[in-house]
Amino acid sequence: MSNGKVSQEQPARVLTPEMIDEIRSYFSRYPTRQAVTLPALHVVNRHLRWVPPQAVEEIAQLLELPPAQVQDTLSFYGFFRQDAPCGQVRAWVCRSISCALRGGEELLEHMCRRLGIRPGQTTPDGKLTLEFAECLGACEYAPCMLAGEELHKCMTTEDADRFLESLGVQVVQESASQK
Amino acid sequence: MAEFEPVLLANVGKQESWTRRVYEQNGGYQALRRVLKTMTPQEVVELVKASGLRGRGGAGFPTGVKWSFLPKDHPGPVYFCLNADESEPGTFNNRILMEHDPHQVLEGTIISAYATGASVVYIYLRYEYPLCLKRLQQAIDECYEAGYLGRDILGSGFSLDVYIHRGAAAYICGEETGLIESIEGKRAWPRIKPPFPAVQGVFGKPTVVNNVETVACVTHIAARGAEWFKSIGVPADPNNPRDAGSYGPKLYCLSGHVNRPGCYEAPLGITCRELIEHFGQGVWKGRRAKAAIPGGISMGLLTAQELDTPLDFSSLQKVGCLGLGTAAVVVMDETVRIIDYLYNSCRFFAHESCGQCTPCREGTAWALRIVDRIRRGRGRLVDLDILLEIGNTIGIIPGTTICGLADGAAWPLKNAITKFRQELEDFIRRTNPQGYMQSDPVPLELHTLEH
């Protein structure tokens, strides 16, 4: 920059031909390209576990939209991450009323303590992103957790420990005195 | 109630109930065949109107009337959006239908699309329902194979395509115009009405948005007739011309502190107590109920003394609740502190307010900060009046917001503070004995912003 030259380097493209084909397969379903915004974001998110800013540019090109328009939509839905990829498994613990009445908040707190992270964060080994959810719509199984595509029903803290163990994620061992 | 025969849940629990084979073995798609062969779209609209069916998604608007708002002789296309964004806390009846009996939902969807002249259906499915996605997509594929979807369905000349549009974890997408914006690829900000979706909906075209359970009811109305549907439930009050009645079977969701949480089918108008005692087998741990949410968290709160209120479209307003909502009952036992319920409710709405209207965005956020501060032992008695003022001034009913999300945020506040004022005052006096009388402004740092 000091000599007045601006870097001409193009950022590496992130959408693979496979993702592009998948996004294009939605075009015939809608009368506008913009309507493919959410499907496209889901495609990228499923492949990359996040939607890097460069992907927004490329989706916008594909949908013939200004990138800001895609970004505007994306930013509305807290679901799509732009700071870093999610862990290999993304799990949501419900904190809404039916689960909260049956220990949902304590469950989330327990898991956070075991992992040494806060809701929304990813474990250092990249194995798990743990989040809270508003009502997962499985209130008869309270407290519940959605991990990837799997619903964990009527969870106890022991169930949570077994789940963490099954992922092989590193946990903080609690001493008896802490309990 | 003895002779009541469940229809919506009739197939639930059968082996492979989600397949076309099992659905057809139990009489599935006969109603669709008969409708396509013997009825005009207008006759289906009139049938549904005559049945008295009211929308099951929360607002309870008469379905047939909603359909009749579509402009006549529109060149098209007309769109039909199936609202499967079920996100109201405590509600899971649509999930049960889609997971266990997706063909019942699809049959009703196809009949409804035929009645409204729609050529494309978008099923707006919330992200958190991956099993519904799988089962619905399988069912859609099976329908195309069987000729129930696609071009010239069963030789009727009627053509229809159904696509699933997956949401991304935003409560506001359940509001019908928010849902439409979301399908269009935009932020899900609800639209100012009019124009109503029937005139100008998705992609600027006439659009109907109906709930999953609503179209499931259409399946049975088409199979059994309007008179059958009208024989179930609570008739309209003849002395109240504005009461459209509460007809038909209803799926009630029951959760919280009961022995047997679940989704139960009953005639509209069973009481909250019947639901808890008969279906839920009572409050858990031998305790007593302190309060119950009558129809999803937005609807407010019933006290223990109000549990004999019928869960229908007109009775809940009489005890100060917002309405029947999604008919999702959440029971709280005597150990629950009302301040904790309020905190949970306020946190939900502050998180889910879409931010478009200032009274809702700021009102829900400040209500949460104040309730949180009270909960942490820094409350003042005057805070209860401030919360009531927020509750009374945000929403469609006071006329300050575009959609009803803020009304849903307001009702828990209003019901809790008017029905449980003594408990809340006692809590403030006990936890903040020195400061509870103060009415001076609270230093900003005492309002936490992290939730």
Side-chain angles (χ1 to χ4, degrees), chain B residues 276-327:
Chain B
I276 295 168
E277 296 302 329
H278 176 69
F279 291 107
Q281 294 180 2
V283 179
W284 75 346
K285 300 182 180 176
R287 292 179 189 159
R288 281 177 309 179
K290 175 177 187 169
I293 293 168
I297 203 161
S298 299
M299 294 300 120
L301 210 54
L302 291 170
T303 64
Q305 294 75 39
E306 293 166 345
L307 291 180
D308 290 311
T309 308
L311 299 170
D312 62 28
F313 286 114
S314 64
S315 299
L316 287 156
Q317 290 86 336
K318 293 173 190 161
V319 290
C321 293
L322 184 50
L324 177 65
T326 58

Side-chain angles (χ1 to χ4, degrees), chain A residues 28-32 34-35 37-39 42 72-73 75-77 79-80 92 95-98 100-102 105 118 132 134-141 146 149, chain B residues 79 89-92 95-96 122 126-127 129-130 163-168 182-189 203 255-258 330-331 344 347-348 351-352 450:
Chain A
S28 63
R29 296 183 174 199
Y30 306 94
T32 69
Q34 190 176 6
T37 304
L38 265 186
H42 276 307
D72 180 70
T73 300
S75 67
F76 181 79
Y77 303 92
F79 178 81
F80 301 105
W92 293 268
R95 69 173 192 178
S96 288
I97 189 75
S98 301
L101 287 171
R102 283 176 170 251
E105 308 230 29
R118 303 184 55 193
F132 67 76
E134 297 297 359
C135 193
L136 288 172
C139 319
E140 77 273 50
Y141 303 125
L146 182 68
E149 307 224 314
Chain B
Y79 292 103
T91 313
F92 49 94
R95 193 200 86 236
I96 304 271
Y122 296 112
R126 71 180 304 208
Y127 180 83
Y129 284 176
Y163 304 116
I164 298 175
H165 189 94
R166 217 171 174 195
S182 184
I183 290 178
E184 289 184 356
K186 302 170 189 163
R187 51 176 55 222
W189 275 2
F203 308 119
S255 64
H257 294 158
V258 290
V330 184
V331 178
N344 191 281
R347 186 179 64 184
F348 174 78
H351 189 257
E352 296 300 336
E450 235 181 274

Side-chain angles (χ1 to χ4, degrees), chain B residues 26-161:
Chain B
N26 290 285
Y29 290 112
Q30 291 306 317
L32 175 68
R33 287 175 186 278
R34 206 176 55 77
V35 164
L36 291 182
K37 217 170 257 170
T38 64
M39 293 177 82
T40 65
Q42 190 54 41
E43 283 169 343
V44 183
V45 175
E46 293 305 324
L47 175 75
V48 171
K49 256 192 197 170
S51 75
L53 170 63
R54 295 173 66 174
R56 294 333 197 203
F61 195 83
T63 305
V65 178
K66 195 181 206 179
W67 291 357
S68 65
F69 290 156
L70 289 164
K72 307 276 175 278
D73 305 320
H74 191 275
V78 172
Y79 292 103
F80 191 95
C81 299
L82 187 66
N83 190 342
D85 193 53
E86 180 167 75
S87 311
E88 177 69 24
T91 313
F92 49 94
N93 51 321
N94 289 343
R95 193 200 86 236
I96 304 271
L97 289 174
M98 292 185 285
E99 281 182 0
H100 294 275
D101 204 355
H103 282 287
Q104 177 188 196
V105 175
L106 283 177
E107 184 173 7
T109 302
I110 300 166
I111 294 170
S112 303
Y114 175 71
T116 53
S119 53
V120 176
V121 173
Y122 296 112
I123 301 179
Y124 194 100
L125 179 66
R126 71 180 304 208
Y127 180 83
E128 293 87 338
Y129 284 176
L131 186 55
C132 293
L133 175 71
K134 190 177 144 202
R135 296 261 167 90
L136 269 177
Q137 191 57 57
Q138 277 172 359
I140 291 169
D141 294 344
E142 286 183 315
C143 279
Y144 275 104
E145 281 165 28
Y148 298 142
L149 283 176
R151 293 195 62 79
D152 191 18
I153 295 168
L154 303 174
S156 66
F158 171 60
S159 301
L160 183 68
D161 286 309

